[in-house]
């Protein structure tokens, strides 16, 4: 039996940050990991998926530039793209992340952790107790939609979709969300014949033009995008081919089928029931990530279901790690909105980039979401292709921008950019939303000429000069 001030269960990117921030405040910290230190993002999500996409984006960008396109004589070299992706996952080895834990003074316990009571856990038969807190940072799990035959057809999940070592001849992607759209883009650019089926349009929950522009360009990439359809039966035959029947009466035959339709809380085998919680549930937390009804259990990252993104989980981790230390050491706790120990931005200013081509970069609320929350908003849009910087960036640049303004407070509450290379434009929008910069002051934030950020000026002109 060993004691620590803090025990973190799960050494994904978020767990590492909870541990690090508490350790920097002099708490003794252990982190428990059942698989690889670094978690989903490093090995089966963010990093490998973006590595799969990046070469295709670079090639497409070159083909959109006169002078450069004449130099592009071939297609992507899939073997090199896959090898580059492998290097970004360190070939699914976690040595460097383990070294980092050591250098940060955090003890690593390998194995599967189960909570056995307040501040007590078991890891493969050994008991460990925490003096201050236990943080559950176990992430989320891929789920399969309940389609007859799908589970037996050896479907790809997002893990296989990001780690496959060969390009399938053909691939059916079920799901038009962020992961489905990104992985359809990646495998199509690598030469697979991809069909994507989605119950509704693509990228639900974002501004509607985002999904429409991405669907158009997936079509140009050769992806057969079918919206408003559902798979009703899936079978893999003795030759390995997968036949999927759709509810519009058509069938699709592919080498592989990838389900990208949802995530579940990774809490089924965690001993939650020993402390009055329900196995399999997402963990409900306050803004310091303390689980409601407890004074010692924290839940950070995907597992609390606030925002399922690495950077937002790491943001929560910074607040939680320091809140755990402050409560334990009796130092001041700043829990007012935007205080040091709360993750206020989760509610209203979480940025997200969808790395399709065009990219979708958004922060804050969509117009629909803001109205749903009862805000008095006015939204303005602008053709991103009409900006001088965009026309230099790519010949025939296609894109769109939208700004949602809270009319009562006269501040920007949401921004969406869709287009090539908009990912790097997002942080300016995040600063404006988080800073609640008055719209009249934004006129004084002058975008450099000729950059794509001049779209800010056009959005302001469309909104109107201050009286
Ligand atoms: C295909 C895909 C692409 C994505 N791309 C992006 C992106 O580009 N940008 C972005 O911000 N987000 C992206 N995400 C989301 C991102 O991967 C997650 O938000 C992030 O991984 C969550 O981090 P986490 O630390 O909360 O959980 P995880 O990374 O899942 O880590 C949890 C860790 O806990 C361990 N664990 C679980 N239970 C136990 C237990 N009982 N005992 C011991 N260890 C345990 C697991 O083994 C795991 O290592 C993507 C997701 C997917 C699926």
């Amino acid at each position: 039996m060993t004691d620590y001030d803090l025990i973190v269960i799960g050494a994904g990117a978020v767990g590492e940050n909870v541990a690090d921030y508490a350790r920097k405040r002099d708490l003794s910290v252990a982190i428990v990991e059942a698989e690889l230190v670094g978690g989903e993002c490093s090995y089966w999500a963010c990093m490998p998926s973006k590595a799969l996409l990046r070469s295709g984006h670079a090639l497409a960008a070159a083909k959109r530039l006169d002078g450069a396109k004449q130099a592009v004589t071939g297609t992507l070299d899939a073997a090199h793209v896959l090898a580059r992706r492998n290097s970004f996952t360190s070939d699914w080895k976690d040595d460097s992340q383990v070294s980092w834990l050591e250098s940060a003074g955090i003890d690593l316990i390998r194995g599967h952790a189960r909570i056995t009571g307040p501040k007590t856990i078991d890891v493969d038969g050994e008991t460990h107790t925490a003096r201050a807190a236990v943080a559950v940072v176990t992430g989320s799990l891929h789920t399969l939609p309940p389609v007859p035959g799908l589970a037996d057809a050896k479907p790809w999940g997002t893990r296989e979709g990001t780690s496959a070592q060969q390009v399938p001849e053909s691939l059916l992607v079920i799901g038009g969300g962020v992961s489905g759209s990104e992985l359809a883009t990646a495998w199509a650019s690598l030469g697979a014949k991809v069909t994507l089926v989605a119950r509704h349009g693509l990228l639900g929950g974002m501004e509607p033009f985002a999904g429409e522009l991405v669907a158009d360009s997936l079509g140009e990439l050769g992806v057969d995008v079918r919206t408003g359809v559902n798979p009703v039966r899936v079978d893999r035959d003795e030759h390995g081919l997968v036949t999927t029947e759709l509810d519009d009466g058509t069938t699709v035959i592919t080498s592989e089928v990838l389900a990208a339709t949802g995530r579940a809380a990774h809490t089924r085998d965690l001993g939650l029931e020993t402390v009055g919680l329900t196995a399999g549930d997402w963990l409900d937390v306050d803004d310091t990530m303390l689980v409601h009804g407890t004074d010692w259990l924290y839940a950070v990252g995907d597992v609390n279901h606030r925002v399922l993104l690495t950077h937002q989980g790491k943001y929560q981790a910074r607040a939680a790690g320091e809140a755990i230390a402050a409560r334990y050491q009796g130092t001041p706790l700043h829990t007012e909105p935007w205080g040091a120990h709360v993750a206020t931005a989760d509610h209203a200013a979480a940025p997200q980039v969808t790395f399709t081509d065009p990219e979708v970069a958004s922060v804050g609320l969509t117009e629909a979401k803001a109205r749903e929350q009862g805000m008095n908003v006015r939204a303005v849009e602008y053709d991103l292709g009409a900006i001088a910087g965009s026309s230099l960036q790519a010949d025939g640049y296609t894109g769109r921008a939208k700004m949602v303004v809270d009319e009562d407070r006269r501040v920007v509450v949401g921004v969406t950019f869709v287009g090539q290379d908009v990912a790097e434009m997002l942080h300016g929008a995040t600063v404006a939303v988080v800073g609640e910069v008055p719209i009249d002051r934004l006129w004084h934030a002058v975008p450099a000429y000729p950059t794509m950020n001049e779209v800010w000026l056009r959005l302001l002109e469309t909104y109107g000069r201050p009286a």
Side-chain angles (χ1 to χ4, degrees):
M1 178 160 142
T2 47
D3 286 333
Y4 291 92
D5 294 333
L6 169 66
I7 296 175
V8 178
I9 304 177
V14 181
E16 289 176 323
N17 274 269
V18 177
D20 189 34
Y21 272 70
R23 183 73 200 105
K24 281 182 186 147
R25 295 284 179 191
D26 289 331
L27 268 61
S28 62
V29 182
I31 195 163
V32 191
E33 177 51 54
E35 293 189 75
L36 293 176
V37 175
E40 211 68 16
C41 183
S42 305
Y43 306 103
W44 300 286
C46 329
M47 292 308 279
S49 62
K50 269 77 251 182
L52 285 176
L53 283 157
R54 179 65 199 137
S55 306
H57 285 352
L59 186 67
K63 284 182 178 168
R64 291 186 195 117
L65 275 185
D66 207 12
K69 73 179 175 203
Q70 286 78 4
V72 177
T73 52
T75 53
L76 280 187
D77 184 320
H80 278 91
V81 174
L82 296 180
R84 183 169 183 270
R85 182 275 321 269
N86 291 353
S87 77
F88 272 93
T89 65
S90 308
D91 288 310
W92 292 271
K93 293 191 188 77
D94 64 5
D95 308 53
S96 67
Q97 305 226 28
V98 172
S99 305
W100 175 80
L101 282 180
E102 278 166 17
S103 69
I106 299 162
D107 281 1
L108 171 63
I109 303 170
R110 294 241 186 224
H112 183 98
R114 280 180 198 84
I115 294 167
T116 51
K119 298 188 186 175
T120 311
I121 67 158
D122 170 278
V123 184
D124 302 332
E126 284 206 4
T127 301
H128 304 269
T129 57
R131 285 179 282 268
V134 172
V136 172
V137 198
T138 52
S140 61
L141 287 172
H142 174 260
T143 57
L144 279 184
V147 179
L150 179 60
D152 296 330
K154 297 199 191 81
W156 283 8
T158 47
R159 281 195 168 194
E160 293 77 9
T162 52
S163 63
Q165 294 298 327
Q166 273 173 353
V167 180
E169 205 175 300
S170 52
L171 175 69
L172 173 70
V173 177
I174 303 173
V178 173
S179 294
S181 301
E182 285 186 347
L183 291 172
T185 305
W187 290 109
S189 74
L190 288 164
K193 182 168 168 23
V194 176
T195 305
L196 185 152
V197 293
R199 186 178 301 167
H200 307 292
L202 303 191
L203 303 179
M206 300 192 185
E207 295 292 358
F209 62 83
E212 287 159 17
L213 287 170
V214 169
D216 288 351
S217 82
L218 277 171
E220 282 163 28
L221 193 61
V223 177
D224 179 0
V225 180
R226 304 190 193 182
T227 53
V229 286
N230 295 291
V232 290
R233 165 103 222 146
V234 180
D235 289 291
R236 192 183 282 272
D237 68 18
E238 65 276 20
H239 307 294
L241 286 179
V242 184
T243 301
T244 304
E245 291 171 32
L246 303 174
D247 62 1
D248 62 358
T250 60
T251 53
V252 185
I253 299 175
T254 49
S255 330
E256 300 294 346
V257 56
L258 162 65
T261 49
R263 313 282 303 171
H266 197 169
T267 58
R268 248 169 272 150
D269 190 14
L270 194 59
L272 286 182
E273 55 292 347
T274 65
V275 290
L277 296 164
T278 306
D281 276 4
W282 301 102
L283 292 172
D284 202 17
V285 294
D286 68 14
D287 271 2
T288 67
M289 308 301 129
L290 185 63
V291 174
H292 287 300
T294 77
D295 63 359
W296 60 275
L297 185 65
Y298 289 74
V300 196
D302 277 15
V303 76
N304 64 32
H305 208 225
R306 283 164 68 108
V307 189
L308 277 67
L309 290 168
T310 296
H311 49 268
Q312 214 63 21
K314 285 160 63 177
Y315 161 73
Q316 296 170 5
R318 296 189 280 276
E322 300 226 327
I324 291 166
R327 285 195 174 109
Y328 187 52
Q329 294 165 340
T331 52
L333 199 66
H334 300 286
T335 56
E336 68 285 359
W338 308 110
H341 299 113
V342 287
T344 310
D346 280 359
H347 306 296
Q352 175 164 24
V353 174
T354 305
F355 289 84
T356 41
D357 181 18
E359 292 167 342
V360 179
S362 59
V363 61
L365 305 175
T366 59
E367 181 182 359
K369 195 82 194 161
R371 290 195 194 286
E372 207 179 290
Q373 292 186 6
M375 273 186 198
N376 170 27
V377 292
R378 185 149 75 88
V380 289
E381 293 188 27
Y382 204 82
D383 174 6
L384 198 47
I387 305 296
S390 311
S391 57
L392 285 164
Q393 196 78 1
D395 299 335
Y397 190 102
T398 308
R400 191 140 202 91
K402 181 167 180 172
M403 174 175 81
V404 183
V405 180
D406 177 343
E407 290 286 84
D408 296 338
R409 291 185 299 142
R410 287 181 65 80
V411 296
V412 180
V413 292
V415 176
T416 299
F417 300 125
V418 181
Q420 182 191 310
D421 303 326
V422 295
E424 299 298 338
M425 289 166 62
L426 182 58
H427 198 59
T430 305
V431 172
V433 173
V434 170
E436 299 172 321
V437 182
I439 192 99
D440 297 347
R441 178 61 69 88
L442 273 181
W443 281 89
H444 298 274
V446 184
Y449 182 82
T451 66
M452 298 201 298
N453 274 306
E454 272 208 313
V455 75
W456 279 101
L457 177 56
R458 302 290 169 250
L459 286 167
L460 288 171
E461 285 171 346
T462 310
Y463 179 81
R465 283 286 277 181

